[in-house]
Amino acid sequence: MNQNLIGRLFGQVWRANILNCGQNSFISKQTNALNKLCLRNTSFFNKLPAEDIWRGVTAVSNAGKKRGRGKGSGKKVAKDLNKGQTIGLGKSSRIWPGLNSPVIRGNELIHQKKLEENIDIENGIMKFRDSMGTFRLMKLNPIDRGWSGSKMPGRSIGPPDTVGEEEFISFDTRVLENKIVFIMKGNMGRKRRYSVLSVTGNGKGLAGFATVKAAEVRTALRKSKNRAGQKLINISLCENRTIFHDFRTDFGKTQIYCFQKPDGYGLVCHRAIQTICKIIGIRDLYAKIEGSTNLQHIVKAFFIGLMSQRSYENIANETNINIVQQQKTRNGYTEVKGIPSYNSTLKHINQVVDYMHFTLGNKIVLKQKNILPFFVCTKGHELHQIKAERFRNQSNVRLHKLVNSYV
């Protein structure tokens, strides 16, 4: 009786164990299948390299850049602690065969050995780390600087590239404008490009300018200077230093009044016109801009004015009047510049023609009257004028210098 009960109990336990084993195995199979379905072998951290991940954490988005955020980003450089270090050399320097030394040197087997402490190596590594942490701005030669610091406008990018056997010797190219422009595409969305305006010349009356757009800055700069070299214009100069006469030119809503100046006056004008004059070879000029100061309009208007210049002989033939110039710097010295030809069919004009009004198209720059200072009518100023009167001999000194120069 007891044996039968024991057998039955043993059989029930055995069956239960078999059923439990089957359920466990079934459950384990389901969990393995679920694990295989939900497992991801790739993620954000192993798809991209470390530089892109750090840039996504530390950099500023394009929308943030437009709002002026993150102006100081990019100046702090992360320290690379691996630079300057060698395996086995540090606070506790050791010789490790197979790592920093050979296993066998000749017939001798090298064993692990502790080296003496070397303070110079550790100090050198610390100095090297400190030098990595400091951010230094790129220093430019003052001659190579542009209009404002290290920005591209005003900087030189060298002569245009050679075309076959033709080389642009003694040419120089200056960037006048470098900006980002956007265009909306149906399939690509908002596309960004770089627009570069540059002027090239040899400093002897030969110059050209061009505007180019490209996806990268370097490509735009290279294409701009090469295209400017293909559009060269020959500009005649007076005495190889200035313009022939005063002129007025305009493009769009930009008006430029240019005036001829004596030798040594310099370039008193807009910085874009000043750069163009240096490229062409003009050393003495005064220019006044009225209206819009759009950079491309300024460049186009100035080149139109230079190309529309007339020589003294052409002006004399148009007016049938002798062109005579009086130089104030030489005490009123008079010099004949142009004489009308005998084949001129124009009748002589009795009335006096204003040379400046003729060259400027009967349009002149309005000048405001100078406001006299408050102390002009005081007694002290009158006494100062009386005392300084005897020292006012500038005209006589100038006359004596001219006489000595001719002798």
Side-chain angles (χ1 to χ4, degrees):
M1 188 71 180
N2 294 332
Q3 291 179 353
N4 292 333
L5 289 172
I6 293 168
R8 289 176 185 176
L9 291 171
F10 182 79
Q12 290 177 1
V13 171
W14 181 73
R15 288 175 187 175
N17 288 332
I18 291 172
L19 290 174
N20 290 334
C21 292
Q23 290 178 359
N24 291 335
S25 63
F26 180 72
I27 292 168
S28 64
K29 287 179 181 178
Q30 283 186 342
T31 53
N32 289 333
L34 290 172
N35 289 334
K36 288 180 181 178
L37 290 173
C38 300
L39 184 63
R40 292 181 62 189
N41 296 323
T42 59
S43 66
F44 172 80
F45 296 100
N46 56 16
K47 272 186 179 180
L48 300 176
E51 294 181 359
D52 295 343
I53 295 172
W54 279 112
R55 194 182 299 113
V57 175
T58 58
V60 184
S61 62
N62 293 329
K65 288 180 182 178
K66 291 178 183 178
R67 291 177 175 83
R69 297 174 187 160
K71 292 182 179 179
S73 64
K75 292 186 178 180
K76 293 183 180 179
V77 182
K79 295 181 181 180
D80 189 0
L81 302 180
N82 293 324
K83 284 189 176 181
Q85 293 188 358
T86 56
I87 297 175
L89 297 179
K91 292 183 178 180
S92 59
S93 301
R94 286 180 176 274
I95 292 177
W96 297 92
L99 290 178
N100 58 356
S101 69
V103 179
I104 299 173
R105 184 175 293 155
N107 297 327
E108 184 182 358
L109 182 65
I110 298 175
H111 299 280
Q112 181 182 344
K113 182 181 177 182
K114 186 176 181 182
L115 299 176
E116 297 180 358
E117 293 184 1
N118 194 348
I119 302 174
D120 296 335
I121 296 175
E122 189 174 354
N123 293 335
I125 293 172
M126 296 300 294
K127 288 181 180 179
F128 189 74
R129 288 181 183 176
D130 295 339
S131 64
M132 284 193 298
T134 56
F135 177 77
R136 294 180 182 178
L137 291 172
M138 183 178 61
K139 290 186 178 180
L140 288 174
N141 192 2
I143 299 174
D144 299 333
R145 290 177 71 250
W147 296 336
S148 57
S150 60
K151 294 184 179 180
M152 282 307 300
R155 289 182 58 182
S156 173
I157 55 176
D161 299 336
T162 58
V163 181
E165 296 180 355
E166 297 181 0
E167 297 180 358
F168 292 88
I169 302 172
S170 71
F171 272 75
D172 187 22
T173 308
R174 296 278 176 174
V175 179
L176 299 178
E177 187 180 40
N178 182 20
K179 62 182 181 180
I180 300 174
V181 293
F182 291 91
I183 185 171
M184 203 69 179
K185 294 284 187 180
N187 54 352
M188 298 182 66
R190 196 177 185 188
K191 190 177 179 181
R192 183 177 68 176
R193 292 189 298 173
Y194 293 90
S195 176
V196 175
L197 169 63
S198 63
V199 58
T200 184
N202 62 349
K204 297 179 181 178
L206 197 62
F209 69 96
T211 306
V212 168
K213 297 176 183 177
E216 296 181 359
V217 182
R218 294 182 179 179
T219 307
L221 292 171
R222 178 178 53 82
K223 287 186 176 181
S224 178
K225 70 176 182 180
N226 292 337
R227 192 169 295 177
Q230 296 173 358
K231 300 180 178 182
L232 295 178
I233 304 168
N234 191 8
I235 299 168
S236 56
L237 302 178
C238 178
E239 300 176 3
N240 293 326
R241 62 171 186 84
T242 185
I243 57 179
F244 275 99
H245 55 80
D246 306 337
F247 62 82
R248 174 190 170 274
T249 178
D250 57 351
F251 187 90
K253 293 185 178 181
T254 302
Q255 301 176 4
I256 304 177
Y257 294 87
C258 298
F259 300 93
Q260 185 191 50
K261 291 299 177 181
D263 190 10
Y265 182 83
L267 298 172
V268 182
C269 50
H270 191 273
R271 58 187 183 181
I273 299 177
Q274 186 177 359
T275 304
I276 297 171
C277 290
K278 290 179 180 178
I279 290 295
I280 296 173
I282 299 173
R283 300 193 303 270
D284 305 301
L285 181 76
Y286 171 73
K288 177 71 170 63
I289 298 176
E290 290 186 356
S292 174
T293 56
N294 187 350
L295 202 60
Q296 294 189 10
H297 288 190
I298 291 173
V299 176
K300 293 174 182 178
F302 187 63
F303 269 93
I304 289 171
L306 293 175
M307 294 170 64
S308 62
Q309 287 185 102
R310 291 167 288 181
S311 62
Y312 294 118
E313 295 180 358
N314 292 336
I315 297 173
N317 292 330
E318 289 180 11
T319 58
N320 203 15
I321 297 176
N322 296 331
I323 306 300
V324 182
Q325 183 181 24
Q326 287 184 346
Q327 299 181 9
K328 294 181 180 180
T329 57
R330 300 179 65 179
N331 201 16
Y333 176 73
T334 305
E335 184 180 0
V336 178
K337 292 291 185 180
I339 301 174
S341 61
Y342 294 103
N343 298 328
S344 180
T345 57
L346 294 174
K347 294 183 180 179
H348 184 72
I349 302 174
N350 293 327
Q351 65 180 5
V352 178
V353 178
D354 192 342
Y355 182 75
M356 183 178 290
H357 284 203
F358 179 79
T359 55
L360 292 176
N362 293 325
K363 294 182 180 180
I364 60 173
V365 180
L366 296 177
K367 296 182 180 180
Q368 296 180 353
K369 293 183 180 180
N370 294 329
I371 300 175
L372 297 176
F374 66 94
F375 54 81
V376 170
C377 299
T378 59
K379 187 176 181 180
H381 183 66
E382 293 178 358
L383 293 174
H384 171 71
Q385 286 182 329
I386 293 170
K387 292 180 180 179
E389 183 66 28
R390 58 190 179 128
F391 297 105
R392 298 188 62 183
N393 58 348
Q394 297 178 2
S395 59
N396 296 329
V397 172
R398 191 183 299 116
L399 182 62
H400 286 298
K401 284 186 177 181
L402 283 173
V403 172
N404 293 331
S405 64
Y406 285 113
V407 172

